[in-house]
Amino acid sequence: MKITRVKLTRLCRPLEPAFAAAWDPVSRSMFEATLVTVETDEGVCGYGSGDTMDGFENFDHLFVGKDPLRILHHVRTLETITFHAGKYWPLEAALWDIVGKVTEQPVALHFGGALERIPAYASFGELKDPAAYVETVLGAMEHGFKAVKIRMARDRIEQGVQAVAAIREAAGEDIDIMVDLNQMWRTSGDIAPALDLMSVRQVACRLRELGVLWLEEPLAPTDIVGARMVRAQTGMRIAGGEMVRSLAELAQLVDQDAFDIYQPDVVLSVGLHRTRFIAELAQLHNRFFTPHTWSNGLGLLANLHVVAGVGGGPYIEFPYDPPGWTPARRDFFLADTLDIESDGCLAVPSCPGLGAVVDFDAIAYYEV
Ligand SMILES: [Mg+2]
């Protein structure tokens, strides 16, 4: 089998202005999606998405004419490109989609097949005041979620802690709450200093008292010593690593015991195959792997297959923040919208490949 073409389709997703304003400054990935279609001479097509693929046109000759099933060959090629240009991991997702279709198995089986479904947490995007957060969380619980993650602005810490306290009071003990300070995930141009160690220690203590499951990216990306100190001194679990750009850096983070929870996004960080290595390394050290998934439904599917395959968890991130960010808006170019089941779990599609059904009418409508 040979790759005959790698086709990129650039799409602009529908987004309510109010939601976009709440993400000020907004990431491009909130508005845009690129669908990668890998075509083969045997008629099998693979689909992937998640990163912008800007500039990939200069490198597609490295893949056309090659056997799509030689995954590690392609992973190594993509790593050499990442050194010089962009991260093109959605292409690897599309290749795995082909592997699954050719072998007539879900991709998760190729990653170990440890789980067929996994609990999902509702991951909110908007920054809200405490009362609005309570309403959002209660709505998510009604939908079936048993866990939620809220964002906390570093210049509005007090309001964030109050929001967690209000959520805990309204929702009780039957829900896991996570908090993201986004000190490593930065929008382009955000060069404001990260919170200092003392401030982080103080907020971690307060969140620990409120029973928060993990605190995400509370410090600057270089402050591994600080992350370890906060964990040891407060008993608060620390999560991070969602956008680390190389396998070596991720492996070093695990080796240094930087976090309790490792979160590389398979389509935005180091790809599917390399993430399996990191996930198993983290598990070997008795730490958690649960990926970041904020791109679109196809990106979420790629992460779902890997985390279920390796038996990660305890949850998978499920971007969900109605009315601005709904599964339909997130998965706007898929015919089947992903959603949780009534017990709060997300099931791995049992069909061959990643299980995405592309809506070609939507593609035609939203293509730019
Ligand atoms: Mg995060």
Side-chain angles (χ1 to χ4, degrees):
M1 180 183 284
K2 298 270 186 276
I3 297 171
T4 52
R5 183 162 75 137
V6 179
K7 182 181 167 193
L8 304 184
T9 311
R10 301 191 192 283
L11 308 162
C12 190
R13 87 167 81 234
L15 198 61
E16 280 187 4
F19 187 73
W23 271 78
D24 182 28
V26 71
S27 161
R28 272 183 63 202
S29 64
M30 297 299 296
F31 294 103
E32 299 173 6
T34 300
L35 176 67
V36 180
T37 307
V38 176
E39 299 172 356
T40 65
D41 59 355
E42 295 186 18
V44 181
C45 277
Y47 299 103
S49 189
D51 214 335
T52 62
M53 303 292 290
D54 286 349
F56 176 76
E57 293 84 349
N58 297 320
F59 302 99
D60 65 352
H61 64 282
L62 298 173
F63 303 93
V64 171
K66 301 269 169 57
D67 184 341
L69 307 183
R70 295 175 60 203
I71 291 288
L72 191 52
H73 174 90
H74 298 305
V75 166
R76 288 174 175 161
T77 304
L78 286 165
E79 285 172 334
T80 63
I81 300 171
T82 299
F83 181 78
H84 297 281
K87 296 173 290 152
Y88 301 135
W89 298 113
L91 170 59
E92 191 204 342
L95 296 173
W96 277 110
D97 193 30
I98 292 174
V99 171
K101 286 170 177 168
V102 168
T103 57
E104 299 185 343
Q105 290 177 338
V107 171
L109 274 187
H110 291 279
F111 282 79
L115 302 172
E116 292 180 330
R117 53 207 303 279
I118 180 168
Y121 67 86
S123 186
F124 305 133
E126 292 185 46
L127 284 167
K128 294 177 181 171
D129 62 40
Y133 259 139
V134 166
E135 198 179 320
T136 301
V137 170
L138 295 179
M141 289 174 76
E142 216 170 85
H143 192 71
F145 288 102
K146 307 267 191 296
V148 295
K149 187 172 84 187
I150 71 165
R151 295 176 67 221
M152 186 181 284
R154 57 182 175 269
D155 58 350
R156 277 169 279 168
I157 291 294
E158 192 53 43
Q159 189 189 52
V161 174
Q162 283 174 14
V164 175
I167 292 167
R168 181 58 79 204
E169 192 177 331
E173 300 298 321
D174 292 338
I175 189 151
D176 276 328
I177 304 170
M178 292 82 107
V179 174
D180 194 348
L181 265 162
N182 291 109
Q183 299 277 38
M184 300 180 187
W185 188 100
R186 294 281 181 113
T187 49
S188 302
D190 178 4
I191 57 171
L195 289 180
D196 72 292
L197 183 59
M198 279 300 177
S199 306
V200 170
R201 190 152 46 191
Q202 287 162 10
V203 70
C205 281
R206 297 174 72 190
L207 294 177
R208 177 73 189 87
E209 281 170 20
L210 292 166
V212 166
L213 183 66
W214 79 60
L215 176 58
E216 190 166 317
E217 299 197 339
L219 287 154
T222 48
D223 197 356
I224 304 308
V225 173
R228 290 173 57 176
M229 282 175 68
V230 170
R231 293 163 59 205
Q233 293 170 351
T234 69
M236 183 77 251
R237 292 183 191 87
I238 302 293
E242 63 191 48
M243 298 279 274
V244 173
R245 293 179 69 99
S246 78
L247 177 65
E249 287 170 277
L250 266 171
Q252 203 169 18
L253 287 172
V254 180
D255 190 46
Q256 294 175 333
D257 196 20
F259 310 123
D260 300 282
I261 296 103
Y262 294 85
Q263 304 174 293
D265 186 319
V266 303
V267 290
L268 295 172
S269 184
V270 295
L272 290 76
H273 177 82
R274 295 305 198 193
T275 299
R276 178 179 186 171
F277 172 77
I278 293 299
E280 293 185 334
L281 193 62
Q283 289 169 336
L284 181 69
H285 289 270
N286 199 25
R287 302 290 181 262
F288 297 102
F289 161 67
T290 176
H292 171 267
T293 65
W294 265 89
S295 56
N296 56 59
L298 197 39
L300 173 57
L301 268 175
N303 280 292
L304 173 61
H305 280 273
V306 174
V307 71
V310 302
Y315 295 102
I316 183 169
E317 179 176 40
F318 190 87
Y320 178 87
D321 201 356
W325 195 250
T326 57
R329 185 161 284 142
R330 183 195 62 209
D331 306 347
F332 70 104
F333 62 86
L334 299 184
D336 295 328
T337 298
L338 284 173
D339 209 346
I340 58 167
E341 295 175 349
S342 57
D343 63 352
C345 287
L346 188 59
V348 179
S350 57
C351 49
L354 292 173
V357 180
V358 173
D359 179 348
F360 291 101
D361 290 338
I363 295 287
Y365 187 79
Y366 294 114
E367 185 171 1
V368 289

